[in-house]
Structure formats: C-alpha cells, structure tokens
Amino acid sequence: MPFTPSLRAQAIEPFHVMALLARAKTLQAAGHDVIHLEIGEPDFTTAAPIVEAGQAALAAGHTQYTPARGIAPLREAIAQFYASRYGLSVNPERILITPGGSAALLLVSALLVNPGQHWLMADPGYPCNRHFLRLVEAEAQLVPVGPESAYQLTPEHIRAHWQAGKSVGALLASPANPTGTVLSAAQLAAISQTLRGLGGQMVVDEIYHGLTYGEQAASVLAVDDDAFVLNSFSKYFGMTGWRLGWLVAPEAAVPHLDKLAQNLYISAPSMAQYAALACFDESTLAILEQRRAAFQARRDYLLPALRELGFKIAVEPAGAFYLYADISAFGGDAQAFCRHFLETEYVAFTPGLDFGQHHASTHVRFAYTQDLPRLEEAVARIRRGLASWGPHAV
C-alpha cells in the first residue's frame, strides 16, 4: 500500500558517504583492493580486556534491561575517570548511559529545543547533529566557519547569529568532526560566558576525547558545570558496535532525561555496559594509549604527504582521526573528485557535502583509520590518480 513519508523524514538527508561505501564494497566484492579512508570508525577491534568482560557478562546472565540511566557501577566508573583524567568532581547521579553518543544527542535535543527553535552549530560539522534537531521539529542554525577560527564557533559568531526568542543554545565539538580541531579551556570559557549572557544552553560533543595529539583536550565541565556533555565509548575506547555512550547533565535535568530515556529506548545494552567497566582498567588504558600513539603517527605521516600533493589543509588537527582538505587547487566538484579516486585508484574518502554547506563542494575528509603501510599505498595511488583527474591534472 502506498504511503507518504512525513515531512521530517523527507527533510533528513542520508549520509552521502554511505553510497560511496556501498560502491566501495561492490568493488571489493569484484576483487579490487579498496583502501577505506571514508568511515569514521577505528580500524582496531575492541581491546581484549573489554571483550573478555563482555563475554563474562553474558556468561553471568547480564542480558536483561538495566535502569534507564544505566548501571550504577558504570556511572561511578565514569565519574572516577573524570576525577583521574581531568581532576573534576562529577556526581554519578548526573551521568546517563545511552545507546551510543547518538542517543545522548537525541535526549538533549528532545529536552532543550521546542519546535521552531534552534541551536547554533559550526558548518562544517557532524551531520547527525542537525538531523536530530529536525527530528524533534527544531532547526540547526548553521554558522559558516573556516580556518581563521580553526573551524570552531567563537563568541563573535554566536553574538552575530543569535536570534532572540528562537536561538536557545549552541552545540560545539572538541575535537571536531570533520576537522579534528580542539577548543582550549579559555575558548570554552569565553563561549560559555557569551551563552550565559544571552540566556542560552551550552552543549559540547566530547566524543573524540582521548584521541588528541600534543596535549589533552579540556572538558567544558572544567569551566561550566551546567553544560551538557556528550561522550561515547566508540572512538577512544574502540567499542563502535557495542553502541554505548554517555551524557553528563545538570542535576535538575536528570529526571526529565531519565523519563525520556525510559520512553525512547528503555536502556542501553546491558552486556555492553558491563563490558565497558573494563575500559578504565590500567591494562586497557595502556592498550588504548598505544592505539592513540598509532593514530598520531598516522596523522604525522598523512598530513604532510597530502600537503605535498597539493591538498590545502590550513589547520593542523589536534585530535580525532580526520584531515579536512581543500581541493580547490585541483578544480572540479568534491563528489566527482571522490568518485574518480574510488573508481580509478580504489581509494575511498568522503566529500564535504556530508558535513554541511559552507565550501562543501571544495572539501573532502580523509579518515586515517588504516595502518601506515596502507596510508603509504593510498598516497601513492592518489598521486597517480591526480595525473588523470580532469583538466587540472598534475
């Protein structure tokens, strides 16, 4: 029977990279050696101590619903992690365990934004942020940002784009996807002060915390204890398929978030929660730090290699595992550019269209989620592919 999808369903765009990934999988199935630099997923499998804890949880029968806010031992372990890593005191009662960082974003979107209202957010940025707002009949006010602000919102951006009665807050990301840039404690404090003056809420995506190179990223909770913080076990902790994240919220918001969680998803996966308890063991953290060092080595190779080929990467990323590159020197459209390298050299990377509108057609994102030999091979193929790319071939 025919149906008409809702306006919200029609307005939410797919990940454009998924079509690229599907084509890459087809090429792989046909026997081609595809190098995947398109998906934001660590190539490392979940660390053995976490897997073993998950297996033990299954054997112990931890397969039923948990409280909507998550099991108390995991909330307490996260609170202790904030104390040991950041020197912050966070009441475990303020922490909610969610099915991935995406569910944390959905909870905050449903909590804070009424239909027709909006959050300010950087363009380029992670696409699901704006899509979740559309799902709750709200909007994203995309603010064009560039290398002059390290692709981050500033107090000046917020004041310039704020609309009284319609703007209710700002969503920031540090480290950010797709640019990998990081906000300092001083920058977070200045933005917090600006939002407080406007009566707005501050929401910060800290999903890539732990994956920084040079110095540790500051948590917004160090400068604004009333901020909402999104985090995840997917990136630094390498648990993408376990679907587990968390949210830190002001105490007054917790009862409302608990109610929303009960209705939206009942609870996060129980076995994943028990497995995640092993994330904070010293043996696990040692493995994760080795992997962080591997990501840094990859960045330190790929960044100058791409610049040498003519890609413009104006800001050195201090975190995450992405390089956001300007391809203006080569001419053409980013989507066609990505298709060219996938079809001719079997290297997959992501067009900027997935991350917003601002100069999207002249940017691409590389995820350095392959080991160094594969990155070296990718660079060799890209060098070769540039020679056959259109009228601006090099």
Side-chain angles (χ1 to χ4, degrees):
M1 181 176 178
F3 76 100
T4 301
S6 67
L7 294 177
R8 77 179 65 86
Q10 295 179 55
I12 292 173
E13 301 173 7
F15 278 146
H16 297 284
V17 72
M18 299 312 291
L20 193 81
L21 178 62
R23 177 58 180 157
K25 296 285 189 183
T26 299
L27 290 169
Q28 248 180 322
H32 298 289
D33 176 30
V34 177
I35 301 177
H36 292 279
L37 307 179
E38 77 277 39
I39 299 299
E41 180 173 30
D43 53 319
F44 300 107
T45 57
T46 302
I50 303 171
V51 173
E52 291 162 7
Q55 292 169 333
L58 290 170
H62 294 307
T63 59
Q64 297 178 308
Y65 296 138
T66 73
R69 281 189 284 168
I71 61 174
L74 183 55
R75 291 188 286 110
E76 291 163 2
I78 293 170
Q80 180 56 42
F81 188 65
Y82 277 103
S84 61
R85 179 153 293 199
Y86 302 99
L88 297 174
S89 177
V90 178
N91 185 341
E93 294 302 310
R94 295 174 54 195
I95 299 170
L96 291 91
I97 309 302
T98 59
S102 296
L105 178 60
L106 178 58
L107 287 179
V108 177
S109 301
L111 176 76
L112 296 180
V113 193
N114 289 314
Q117 294 180 324
H118 65 232
W119 283 341
L120 275 61
M121 58 183 68
D123 178 2
Y126 181 56
C128 281
N129 296 340
R130 63 183 188 270
H131 295 157
F132 272 130
L133 288 175
R134 180 63 186 88
L135 189 67
V136 298
E137 302 297 336
E139 301 170 9
Q141 175 66 37
L142 297 181
V143 178
V145 294
E148 66 282 351
S149 67
Y151 300 99
Q152 294 280 2
L153 292 182
T154 65
E156 293 74 23
H157 286 132
I158 291 169
R159 285 191 290 267
H161 290 270
W162 193 264
Q163 299 179 39
K166 191 167 184 181
S167 303
V168 297
L171 172 61
L172 301 104
S174 176
N177 177 8
T179 61
T181 62
V182 176
L183 289 162
S184 69
Q187 289 171 315
L188 288 166
I191 293 170
S192 171
Q193 184 177 14
T194 300
L195 286 169
R196 282 180 181 273
L198 294 167
Q201 296 285 343
M202 187 167 186
V203 184
V204 183
D205 169 352
E206 297 186 353
I207 284 171
Y208 290 93
H209 267 228
L211 291 174
T212 54
Y213 317 113
E215 62 181 56
Q216 181 176 285
S219 175
V220 68
L221 296 174
V223 299
D224 185 350
D225 200 49
D226 291 327
F228 290 81
V229 178
L230 314 170
N231 212 319
S232 173
F233 286 94
S234 290
K235 309 302 183 180
Y236 177 65
F237 296 103
M239 295 180 67
T240 49
W242 298 76
R243 305 313 304 134
L244 203 66
W246 77 83
L247 168 65
V248 184
E251 288 186 21
V254 171
H256 299 284
L257 292 165
D258 191 17
K259 174 181 60 178
L260 288 168
Q262 292 168 15
N263 283 274
L264 288 173
Y265 54 77
I266 301 179
S267 68
S270 54
M271 62 290 295
Q273 294 187 59
Y274 284 97
L277 289 170
C279 287
F280 308 105
D281 293 345
E282 289 300 320
S283 60
T284 306
L285 291 172
I287 295 169
L288 301 181
E289 281 302 299
Q290 291 173 356
R291 294 177 175 186
R292 186 201 62 76
F295 279 123
Q296 181 169 359
R298 296 172 185 186
R299 181 204 64 168
D300 292 348
Y301 164 73
L302 190 59
L303 177 61
L306 290 176
R307 282 174 168 170
E308 183 182 347
L309 291 177
F311 292 86
K312 184 180 180 182
I313 305 170
V315 182
E316 179 175 303
F321 35 66
Y322 305 117
L323 297 174
Y324 195 60
D326 185 340
I327 61 166
S328 298
F330 308 119
D333 173 81
Q335 286 184 285
F337 192 76
C338 289
R339 284 195 301 270
H340 169 76
F341 284 92
L342 178 59
E343 298 291 341
T344 64
E345 300 296 337
Y346 310 114
V347 180
F349 46 93
T350 309
L353 184 61
D354 259 342
F355 307 108
Q357 303 165 5
H358 185 53
H359 297 315
S361 65
T362 57
H363 283 76
V364 298
R365 188 195 72 178
F366 297 90
Y368 43 94
T369 50
Q370 298 286 317
D371 62 22
L372 277 172
R374 291 293 279 172
L375 293 180
E376 291 167 355
E377 173 62 20
V379 168
R381 295 186 190 183
I382 292 169
R383 178 182 291 110
R384 189 172 61 213
L386 286 172
S388 59
W389 164 248
H392 298 274
V394 297

